[in-house]
Amino acid sequence: MTAHKMLDEKFYSKLLGEELDLIICLPPDFSPLYKYPLFIVQDGKDYFQFGKLARHSEELAVNEQIQKAIFIGIPYKTVMDRREKYHPDGEQNEAYIRFLAFELVPYLEERFPSFQMPTSRFLMGDSLGASVSLKAALLFPFTFGNVILHSPYVDDAILTLAEKADPAKVKIYHIIGDQETAVETTGDEILDFLSPNKSLEQILTSRGFDYYFRVFNGDHRWKYWQPFIKESLQFMLPVNTFDLESMRA
């Protein structure tokens, strides 16, 4: 297989007041003449390194099990920087979500040919990266129509958002480990992730979201998330999800 085209870029966010790194993964046969769905991935470096996201997405696309897409990874600078941006109570959480919706999406859609509609935009993350992805999708469903969650941190604020959100607007893939009952966090706490995730599942199921949920056998580590990368992409982006219309005039 021909390898993905990987681009390293810098983006200055006025909302955050800082420059962020972007890792952009284009399909091997990328052409500006065609439109592509966009995946915005929190913990971006981890997804490419530990989740093998580029390899898995390429294999699925070549085998016509998913549609070709562009993946945009956003690496975190430090553990504390990650917490401030991703945690629901983080000082930069609201600004980071607004950056995703109001700065990054317009930039990407000017930079690359895309479908420019909520159903063609995907957010993806693990742990706190999943939390901020879900929060962004629930707050801005007219921007983000899909979200992939690998063991999200779930608190009462996120449960309340799920209770109020329009289930017709957001498609969700969600997994959690059956051993995630004592997770060590970057805030020096040991928390039960499993119970609040099950509460989230009950809300999303009862409210009728387009939703996949699974409790896997394992804990809060990439060792257990990585095998579900392919499944999450296949659920979210089956082949022929979008008409690959030409961009030619």
Side-chain angles (χ1 to χ4, degrees):
M1 291 188 294
T2 305
H4 274 78
K5 300 174 184 176
M6 306 294 290
L7 308 175
D8 292 319
E9 298 192 356
K10 303 283 188 181
F11 182 88
Y12 183 81
S13 166
K14 293 180 181 178
L15 288 167
L16 291 168
E18 65 183 271
E19 188 175 66
L20 292 94
D21 292 322
L22 301 178
I23 304 170
I24 299 174
C25 177
L26 303 177
D29 58 352
F30 171 79
S31 168
L33 299 177
Y34 292 90
K35 298 180 182 179
Y36 298 88
L38 300 176
F39 279 76
I40 297 174
V41 187
Q42 323 315 319
D43 293 325
K45 188 176 291 186
D46 292 350
Y47 267 89
F48 288 120
Q49 182 177 350
F50 304 126
K52 299 179 172 57
L53 179 58
R55 191 179 81 185
H56 289 322
S57 60
E58 179 182 349
E59 180 183 327
L60 291 171
V62 167
N63 293 330
E64 297 187 346
Q65 293 174 285
I66 64 166
Q67 193 154 336
K68 295 172 185 176
I70 297 173
F71 294 85
I72 304 93
I74 310 173
Y76 56 88
K77 296 176 181 177
T78 65
V79 171
M80 187 52 63
D81 171 71
R82 178 178 185 269
R83 186 174 177 83
E84 288 182 356
K85 289 180 171 67
Y86 291 0
H87 194 286
D89 297 329
E91 290 184 7
Q92 291 185 298
N93 184 252
E94 297 294 339
Y96 182 77
I97 289 172
R98 293 178 65 82
F99 147 73
L100 293 174
F102 300 121
E103 291 184 325
L104 186 57
V105 166
Y107 168 75
L108 293 173
E109 294 191 339
E110 183 177 345
R111 178 93 166 72
F112 301 105
S114 64
F115 294 93
Q116 303 195 3
M117 54 188 181
T119 54
S120 68
R121 302 186 193 112
F122 300 75
L123 292 169
M124 189 173 187
D126 67 277
S127 195
L128 287 178
S131 305
V132 73
S133 296
L134 177 59
K135 187 174 177 182
L138 295 179
L139 286 173
F140 296 106
F142 291 100
T143 302
F144 303 110
N146 311 274
V147 61
I148 293 173
L149 311 173
H150 294 107
S151 298
Y153 166 77
V154 176
D155 64 2
D156 288 343
I158 286 179
L159 293 176
T160 299
L161 277 177
E163 288 171 345
K164 295 180 178 179
D166 184 347
K169 296 290 192 294
V170 184
K171 181 178 180 179
I172 300 171
Y173 174 95
H174 177 197
I175 62 172
I176 185 73
D178 62 0
Q179 298 172 32
E180 296 192 55
T181 54
V183 176
E184 295 184 24
T185 73
T186 53
D188 296 323
E189 299 173 293
I190 297 179
L191 300 177
D192 174 12
F193 271 50
L194 181 58
S195 297
N197 270 265
K198 286 186 173 180
S199 296
L200 177 62
E201 182 269 332
Q202 291 174 358
I203 293 170
L204 297 176
T205 299
S206 66
R207 301 206 57 233
F209 280 80
D210 186 354
Y211 178 54
Y212 174 90
F213 177 72
R214 178 168 178 170
V215 177
F216 62 83
N217 182 18
D219 59 32
H220 199 75
R221 287 185 291 166
W222 269 107
K223 172 184 177 181
Y224 298 105
W225 298 325
Q226 193 269 344
F228 293 99
I229 296 295
K230 282 186 180 180
E231 180 182 89
S232 66
L233 296 177
Q234 288 177 283
F235 174 74
M236 278 297 178
L237 193 63
V239 69
N240 299 325
T241 300
F242 302 100
D243 177 20
L244 290 177
E245 56 195 272
S246 171
M247 294 286 286
R248 294 186 180 89

